[in-house]
Amino acid sequence: MSETEATSASRPAWRFNRPEDDDQPSLREVNASIAVPTSGAWFRRLFAFMGPGYLVSVGYMDPGNWATDLAGGAQFGYTLLFIIMLSNLMAILLQALSARLGIATGRDLAQACRAYYPRPVNFVLWIACELAIIACDLAEVIGTAIALQLLFGIPLIGGAMLTALDAFLVLLLMNKGFRYLEAFVIALLIIIFSCFAIQIFVAAPPAGTILHAMFVPSSEIVTNPAMLYIAIGIIGATVMPHNLYLHSSIVQTRAYERTDAGKRDAIKWATADSTIALMLALFVNAAILIVSAVAFHNTGHQDVAEIEDAFKLLSPLLGLGIASILFAVALLASGLNSTVTATLAGQIIMEGFLRLRIPNWARRLLTRGIAIIPVVVVTAIYGEKGTGQLLIFSQVVLSMQLPFAVIPLVQFVSDKKKMGNFAIPRGVAVLAWVVAAVILILNFKLLYDTIFGIG
């Protein structure tokens, strides 16, 4: 029996398995392109797998998070820290499952959906994914445009138009190699982390109060529609649906042994990578809300919800002259970083669901163009205040798309017929379905309140 036949025989059966699905690996231009040591110190092996988790973590601290975290901190103090912690724990679990799917099956989540679900279902899932990417792109356009305005005085409409050029930045980095892309992302993450570490140090928030708010939930989160709206926006901004497709693909850039032992080892290191990276995202998200609570909620500025207002008030309220500059620099780094993950996710989703390949620059300009139009229209009609509301709304749209990614993921990794020996244990499966149920319930609650005008 040949190696190809042996591999096909050992692969778990999928309902609508198409032969051509196995011929095209996910992100084939970089698939298995990064060497992994098979022996040596543990930190060398961890370092080899470090990268995908940080690309994924970008989506958990993009400009959309800033809007929801700022609004949550200013209006409700530290109360929503519990939601940030909860959503981060959800993210750690779901991203671990995403990495497991990609490594165990050799398929990303989009390819897995195409191999299992009938064509009409796949079409709906693809549309939902595209809407999620557009919503994410919308947040990136607004965040980057605002940062350019704050730092260099570029008008919002002009800044939004300039963001179209980032397609060529991603193309340049991809051509150099996937490690260059990861290094670029990690460098910008270090800038974001450093900016907020300084602000947290200056703000000197009460540690006891923060820990209580982070681990002890308040019933008001569910009973107060305004707080629930922001809370679901935080979940939508944190547990990003397209990240689940992204992670299941980019973990396959590592050249681990495609045997059961090699895959099991790769799952361990990939999970460690994403967990460490997402703890960094937790710090950044919590820091934004905490700084907002200290600077605005505790000083009678509870109405601050716009990034521009936060920029103007941070330095005088915190008593640090460069606080506002640090804030804007971190926002710009966040916007630039987010373009990388959105580009990759768009490519993965289009290729996985449709088996359609178009040039990366064309794909990026297409999605970015769709995101630029509403920003330009809203800015022209409603001014800067309108973009802030549009930013928060984009995160609620993201949250609404979550079930379309979470449910297929949990279904696949729980099924032994598809995952073989790599199916998750029953206890983990129950926890994963609970997470999916919580996401669904919160989304239906928000939808009900929105339709009937509650609050």
Side-chain angles (χ1 to χ4, degrees), residues 403-417:
F404 296 101
V406 172
I407 290 176
L409 174 64
V410 177
Q411 180 184 11
F412 292 152
V413 297
S414 304
D415 192 335
K416 290 186 177 180
K417 293 181 180 179

PDB file of all heavy atoms in Angstrom, residues 403-417:
ATOM      1  N   PRO A 403     -22.391  31.778  16.674  1.00  0.00           N
ATOM      2  CA  PRO A 403     -22.925  30.404  16.628  1.00  0.00           C
ATOM      3  C   PRO A 403     -22.595  29.677  15.328  1.00  0.00           C
ATOM      4  O   PRO A 403     -22.421  28.458  15.322  1.00  0.00           O
ATOM      5  CB  PRO A 403     -24.441  30.616  16.779  1.00  0.00           C
ATOM      6  CG  PRO A 403     -24.575  31.921  17.482  1.00  0.00           C
ATOM      7  CD  PRO A 403     -23.445  32.759  16.981  1.00  0.00           C
ATOM      8  N   PHE A 404     -22.484  30.419  14.211  1.00  0.00           N
ATOM      9  CA  PHE A 404     -22.224  29.795  12.916  1.00  0.00           C
ATOM     10  C   PHE A 404     -20.807  29.217  12.826  1.00  0.00           C
ATOM     11  O   PHE A 404     -20.526  28.408  11.942  1.00  0.00           O
ATOM     12  CB  PHE A 404     -22.440  30.805  11.794  1.00  0.00           C
ATOM     13  CG  PHE A 404     -23.855  31.279  11.677  1.00  0.00           C
ATOM     14  CD1 PHE A 404     -24.238  32.504  12.194  1.00  0.00           C
ATOM     15  CD2 PHE A 404     -24.819  30.492  11.069  1.00  0.00           C
ATOM     16  CE1 PHE A 404     -25.548  32.940  12.092  1.00  0.00           C
ATOM     17  CE2 PHE A 404     -26.126  30.913  10.971  1.00  0.00           C
ATOM     18  CZ  PHE A 404     -26.495  32.147  11.486  1.00  0.00           C
ATOM     19  N   ALA A 405     -19.924  29.646  13.716  1.00  0.00           N
ATOM     20  CA  ALA A 405     -18.575  29.080  13.747  1.00  0.00           C
ATOM     21  C   ALA A 405     -18.404  28.123  14.919  1.00  0.00           C
ATOM     22  O   ALA A 405     -17.764  27.076  14.796  1.00  0.00           O
ATOM     23  CB  ALA A 405     -17.543  30.202  13.840  1.00  0.00           C
ATOM     24  N   VAL A 406     -18.991  28.479  16.067  1.00  0.00           N
ATOM     25  CA  VAL A 406     -18.787  27.687  17.288  1.00  0.00           C
ATOM     26  C   VAL A 406     -19.462  26.319  17.190  1.00  0.00           C
ATOM     27  O   VAL A 406     -18.859  25.289  17.540  1.00  0.00           O
ATOM     28  CB  VAL A 406     -19.310  28.457  18.520  1.00  0.00           C
ATOM     29  CG1 VAL A 406     -19.271  27.567  19.754  1.00  0.00           C
ATOM     30  CG2 VAL A 406     -18.481  29.716  18.752  1.00  0.00           C
ATOM     31  N   ILE A 407     -20.702  26.289  16.729  1.00  0.00           N
ATOM     32  CA  ILE A 407     -21.439  25.024  16.698  1.00  0.00           C
ATOM     33  C   ILE A 407     -20.779  23.998  15.775  1.00  0.00           C
ATOM     34  O   ILE A 407     -20.570  22.842  16.180  1.00  0.00           O
ATOM     35  CB  ILE A 407     -22.918  25.272  16.318  1.00  0.00           C
ATOM     36  CG1 ILE A 407     -23.621  26.001  17.474  1.00  0.00           C
ATOM     37  CG2 ILE A 407     -23.634  23.953  16.014  1.00  0.00           C
ATOM     38  CD1 ILE A 407     -25.056  26.385  17.182  1.00  0.00           C
ATOM     39  N   PRO A 408     -20.419  24.340  14.531  1.00  0.00           N
ATOM     40  CA  PRO A 408     -19.718  23.340  13.710  1.00  0.00           C
ATOM     41  C   PRO A 408     -18.410  22.875  14.331  1.00  0.00           C
ATOM     42  O   PRO A 408     -18.092  21.677  14.289  1.00  0.00           O
ATOM     43  CB  PRO A 408     -19.467  24.084  12.387  1.00  0.00           C
ATOM     44  CG  PRO A 408     -20.515  25.133  12.327  1.00  0.00           C
ATOM     45  CD  PRO A 408     -20.710  25.567  13.754  1.00  0.00           C
ATOM     46  N   LEU A 409     -17.648  23.803  14.927  1.00  0.00           N
ATOM     47  CA  LEU A 409     -16.375  23.432  15.537  1.00  0.00           C
ATOM     48  C   LEU A 409     -16.568  22.407  16.639  1.00  0.00           C
ATOM     49  O   LEU A 409     -15.907  21.358  16.666  1.00  0.00           O
ATOM     50  CB  LEU A 409     -15.671  24.680  16.092  1.00  0.00           C
ATOM     51  CG  LEU A 409     -14.395  24.415  16.892  1.00  0.00           C
ATOM     52  CD1 LEU A 409     -13.316  23.803  16.009  1.00  0.00           C
ATOM     53  CD2 LEU A 409     -13.890  25.705  17.544  1.00  0.00           C
ATOM     54  N   VAL A 410     -17.481  22.692  17.563  1.00  0.00           N
ATOM     55  CA  VAL A 410     -17.707  21.780  18.691  1.00  0.00           C
ATOM     56  C   VAL A 410     -18.258  20.445  18.193  1.00  0.00           C
ATOM     57  O   VAL A 410     -17.891  19.378  18.701  1.00  0.00           O
ATOM     58  CB  VAL A 410     -18.656  22.422  19.730  1.00  0.00           C
ATOM     59  CG1 VAL A 410     -18.947  21.448  20.865  1.00  0.00           C
ATOM     60  CG2 VAL A 410     -18.050  23.707  20.290  1.00  0.00           C
ATOM     61  N   GLN A 411     -19.130  20.502  17.206  1.00  0.00           N
ATOM     62  CA  GLN A 411     -19.687  19.264  16.652  1.00  0.00           C
ATOM     63  C   GLN A 411     -18.593  18.379  16.065  1.00  0.00           C
ATOM     64  O   GLN A 411     -18.566  17.169  16.308  1.00  0.00           O
ATOM     65  CB  GLN A 411     -20.723  19.603  15.572  1.00  0.00           C
ATOM     66  CG  GLN A 411     -21.365  18.372  14.939  1.00  0.00           C
ATOM     67  CD  GLN A 411     -22.314  18.724  13.809  1.00  0.00           C
ATOM     68  OE1 GLN A 411     -22.360  19.857  13.350  1.00  0.00           O
ATOM     69  NE2 GLN A 411     -23.063  17.738  13.345  1.00  0.00           N
ATOM     70  N   PHE A 412     -17.685  18.969  15.313  1.00  0.00           N
ATOM     71  CA  PHE A 412     -16.633  18.189  14.669  1.00  0.00           C
ATOM     72  C   PHE A 412     -15.674  17.571  15.681  1.00  0.00           C
ATOM     73  O   PHE A 412     -15.363  16.383  15.605  1.00  0.00           O
ATOM     74  CB  PHE A 412     -15.847  19.061  13.684  1.00  0.00           C
ATOM     75  CG  PHE A 412     -16.644  19.483  12.480  1.00  0.00           C
ATOM     76  CD1 PHE A 412     -16.340  20.669  11.824  1.00  0.00           C
ATOM     77  CD2 PHE A 412     -17.686  18.710  12.002  1.00  0.00           C
ATOM     78  CE1 PHE A 412     -17.066  21.071  10.709  1.00  0.00           C
ATOM     79  CE2 PHE A 412     -18.428  19.104  10.895  1.00  0.00           C
ATOM     80  CZ  PHE A 412     -18.114  20.281  10.248  1.00  0.00           C
ATOM     81  N   VAL A 413     -15.157  18.381  16.613  1.00  0.00           N
ATOM     82  CA  VAL A 413     -14.131  17.867  17.528  1.00  0.00           C
ATOM     83  C   VAL A 413     -14.708  16.899  18.556  1.00  0.00           C
ATOM     84  O   VAL A 413     -13.950  16.176  19.214  1.00  0.00           O
ATOM     85  CB  VAL A 413     -13.391  19.016  18.247  1.00  0.00           C
ATOM     86  CG1 VAL A 413     -12.634  19.885  17.266  1.00  0.00           C
ATOM     87  CG2 VAL A 413     -14.338  19.861  19.101  1.00  0.00           C
ATOM     88  N   SER A 414     -16.034  16.850  18.691  1.00  0.00           N
ATOM     89  CA  SER A 414     -16.665  15.916  19.629  1.00  0.00           C
ATOM     90  C   SER A 414     -16.956  14.565  18.990  1.00  0.00           C
ATOM     91  O   SER A 414     -17.274  13.601  19.698  1.00  0.00           O
ATOM     92  CB  SER A 414     -17.977  16.510  20.161  1.00  0.00           C
ATOM     93  OG  SER A 414     -17.785  17.768  20.756  1.00  0.00           O
ATOM     94  N   ASP A 415     -16.874  14.493  17.681  1.00  0.00           N
ATOM     95  CA  ASP A 415     -17.300  13.312  16.926  1.00  0.00           C
ATOM     96  C   ASP A 415     -16.111  12.380  16.663  1.00  0.00           C
ATOM     97  O   ASP A 415     -15.187  12.713  15.915  1.00  0.00           O
ATOM     98  CB  ASP A 415     -17.923  13.767  15.605  1.00  0.00           C
ATOM     99  CG  ASP A 415     -18.659  12.636  14.901  1.00  0.00           C
ATOM    100  OD1 ASP A 415     -18.327  11.456  15.144  1.00  0.00           O
ATOM    101  OD2 ASP A 415     -19.560  12.937  14.100  1.00  0.00           O
ATOM    102  N   LYS A 416     -16.137  11.205  17.241  1.00  0.00           N
ATOM    103  CA  LYS A 416     -15.052  10.240  17.061  1.00  0.00           C
ATOM    104  C   LYS A 416     -14.963   9.719  15.634  1.00  0.00           C
ATOM    105  O   LYS A 416     -13.892   9.308  15.180  1.00  0.00           O
ATOM    106  CB  LYS A 416     -15.227   9.074  18.038  1.00  0.00           C
ATOM    107  CG  LYS A 416     -14.969   9.443  19.496  1.00  0.00           C
ATOM    108  CD  LYS A 416     -15.013   8.224  20.397  1.00  0.00           C
ATOM    109  CE  LYS A 416     -14.677   8.606  21.837  1.00  0.00           C
ATOM    110  NZ  LYS A 416     -14.706   7.431  22.734  1.00  0.00           N
ATOM    111  N   LYS A 417     -16.083   9.736  14.908  1.00  0.00           N
ATOM    112  CA  LYS A 417     -16.054   9.283  13.517  1.00  0.00           C
ATOM    113  C   LYS A 417     -15.217  10.217  12.654  1.00  0.00           C
ATOM    114  O   LYS A 417     -14.657   9.795  11.641  1.00  0.00           O
ATOM    115  CB  LYS A 417     -17.481   9.191  12.968  1.00  0.00           C
ATOM    116  CG  LYS A 417     -18.332   8.104  13.615  1.00  0.00           C
ATOM    117  CD  LYS A 417     -19.719   8.077  12.998  1.00  0.00           C
ATOM    118  CE  LYS A 417     -20.571   6.983  13.650  1.00  0.00           C
ATOM    119  NZ  LYS A 417     -21.948   6.958  13.081  1.00  0.00           N
TER     120      LYS A 417
END
